[in-house]
Structures are given as C-alpha cells and as structure tokens.
Amino acid sequence: MPDIVIHGIASAAYLILAWHFWNTRWRAAAPAAAVRSWERVALLAPLALHAWLLYSGLFGTTELRFGFAQALSAMMFLAALMCWLETFAYPIEALYPLVLVAAALCAPLPAFFPGRLSPQTVSVEFRLHLIFGMLAYSLFTVAMLHALLIAKVESRLHGTPGLGGPLAQLPPLLSLERLVFILIGAAFTVLTVTLAFGIVYSETFLGRAVRFEHKTVFVILSWLIFGLLLVGRWRYGWRGRTALRWTLAGFVLLMLGYPGSRFVLEVLLHRT
C-alpha cells in the first residue's frame, strides 16, 4: 500500500474521532462525563499508525530525511499521545477535538514534503538532539493548549455564572494552572537538554559550538522567555493572563525556530 494512502487513513481516523469528541462533548446537551474505554482503544488506532509511519520514515532507514513536515508530524503525534495518557489522570478530553484536528492536518505532511536528506552519516548525538527536540516541542504544545483552555474557562466564568459542557468536567482552575507549569517546567528541561546535545553535535562535527542562524536565535529566545516565565511563577506567582502572554510569546518563537525556518526554505524558497 502506498505511503500516501496510509498517511491518509491515519489523518481520516483522527478527523473522525475529532468529530466524535466535538459532538459528544461540546455540542451534546448532556456531555459524556469521562472518556469511555472504547474511545481510548479507538484513539490508539490512529496513534499506532502514526507512530509506525514516523518510525519507518525517521529511523527505519540508514538515511535520514527531516524537515518542517516531519517536525510537525512528530510534534503532534507526541502531543496527541500525551493527551491520551493524561486523560487517565485528568478529565481534559475537552482538548481532544482541537488536538486531533491538528494531528490530522500534520500526520500526512511528510507524504507531500519529504524533507531534507542528511548529507552525512547521522550521529548518535544528532539523533538524541532530534528526539529530545521533538519531545520539547510537543510538551510546549500541550502546555499551550492547556493555557488556552484555562483562558477559555476564565472568559466563560467572567461572562456567565457557571460552566457548562466539557468545561464543567475540568479539574479546578488552580489545578490546571499547576499542571501547565509542570508541563512548561518539563518542556524547559527537555529543551535545555536538546540545546546541549545540539552544541555537542555542532562542536564535534561542524567545528563550532553554536551556529547563529535564524532558527537558533528563535529557539534561544524562546528558551529565555520560558525560563523567565518559570522564574516569574516561582518568584512573583505569575498566573492568568500574564502567564498566558508569556507562554504564547515563547511558543510562537519556538515555532518560528525549526518548523518555521524549514517551511520558508522548503515551501516558499524551494531549497533543501
């Protein structure tokens, strides 16, 4: 079966489940209280297919092709997987429609944009840099989605006396905020490790510790912003809209890093 068909099946499965969760959580008069067992199993099908596609494309061959499409596909696979795991502890299935639609859009991208072929043998340091980088991106994505959910809850509380639909099933607002900062702290740690592996790889194979390209500058700026956000939370108790603005700024800079720069090169400038 051609790869593009398999990518299409994974994308269609994500979309069907996104439609299901939208209808049963956001549109239903009496939303389901929790994720049912069959829904958890159904979510595993596109996740498993997506995982197989990523593995075969990134690690199943001696050559490595990687670009913005592979980065976004891996990022949203990990984000969807994290949300699936998170529902065992927290009722956050309100995020599922948005997460699954994003995964459906990103899953087939590698079939259309093959990415850049690595010109040399891929080192262990580079593979670790790649794995930790995608993990950091996905953690920041999940944290950003949670922050937007908190903003939605706060705006609803200011507009109406109570919450309805899936928002009524969410954990308390303070618990959600703590969860967001746990995610940001974990993502910041993983991003720090990613930068360290990148420096080791660059020093070993390129002869200099840091290459000050636009993507490097964006990622370092994002790292600084998230670091300041964590300090602000610890020192001054930042929360609410202040935390959301810092989270949004850091996330935008992060996306302008590798995915954004590679999108410009591959799609707009037709360079690999």
Side-chain angles (χ1 to χ4, degrees):
M1 185 180 295
D3 279 354
I4 192 168
V5 176
I6 303 175
H7 281 90
I9 293 172
S11 180
Y14 278 131
L15 284 176
I16 291 170
L17 287 166
W19 176 83
H20 165 75
F21 279 103
W22 172 257
N23 273 327
T24 58
R25 266 60 176 190
W26 287 94
R27 293 186 62 188
V35 179
R36 304 177 183 94
S37 297
W38 74 265
E39 291 173 327
R40 296 187 194 278
V41 175
L43 282 165
L44 281 177
L47 285 171
L49 192 56
H50 197 172
W52 179 79
L53 288 167
L54 285 171
Y55 178 82
S56 62
L58 297 179
F59 304 106
T61 61
T62 55
E63 297 179 334
L64 176 66
R65 283 189 173 273
F66 200 81
F68 85 95
Q70 291 74 19
L72 291 176
S73 182
M75 181 184 78
M76 287 314 305
F77 162 73
L78 289 170
L81 178 61
M82 288 176 193
C83 287
W84 182 82
L85 292 171
E86 190 181 349
T87 55
F88 285 93
Y90 298 96
I92 51 90
E93 57 271 14
L95 287 175
Y96 270 155
L98 181 59
V99 172
L100 294 175
V101 166
L105 294 174
C106 293
L109 288 178
F112 299 97
F113 304 98
R116 178 187 181 186
L117 178 65
S118 178
Q120 57 196 24
T121 302
V122 179
S123 66
V124 174
E125 293 89 343
F126 182 78
R127 287 189 184 274
L128 289 173
H129 170 70
L130 196 65
I131 291 169
F132 277 96
M134 290 304 97
L135 182 58
Y137 269 76
S138 58
L139 281 166
F140 279 124
T141 300
V142 175
M144 185 67 221
L145 291 170
H146 281 67
L148 292 174
L149 190 61
I150 290 173
K152 177 69 172 177
V153 171
E154 289 182 333
S155 66
R156 185 71 66 86
L157 286 173
H158 287 125
T160 59
L163 296 174
L167 299 181
Q169 311 297 330
L170 292 173
L173 202 56
L174 291 177
S175 298
L176 275 177
E177 285 190 339
R178 283 195 296 270
L179 179 59
V180 167
F181 279 97
I182 289 172
L183 289 167
I184 291 175
F188 180 79
T189 302
V190 176
L191 184 60
T192 303
V193 174
T194 302
L195 292 173
F197 277 122
I199 290 172
V200 171
Y201 170 79
S202 185
E203 180 70 33
T204 303
F205 293 94
L206 303 178
R208 48 182 172 169
V210 178
R211 299 174 64 188
F212 282 100
E213 303 170 326
H214 45 279
K215 63 176 180 288
T216 306
V217 173
F218 282 130
V219 172
I220 290 175
L221 286 175
S222 175
W223 180 81
L224 289 172
I225 285 178
F226 282 117
L228 289 172
L229 172 59
L230 291 172
V231 171
R233 170 71 173 184
W234 168 70
R235 188 71 176 82
Y236 304 108
W238 286 356
R239 58 185 299 270
R241 293 192 177 186
T242 300
L244 176 62
R245 285 195 290 267
W246 280 78
T247 303
L248 181 59
F251 185 74
V252 169
L253 286 171
L254 192 67
M255 294 305 295
L256 288 173
Y258 189 86
S261 62
R262 292 306 307 174
F263 175 82
V264 171
L265 288 173
E266 293 176 36
V267 178
L268 301 183
L269 300 180
H270 302 288
R271 291 165 53 189
T272 59

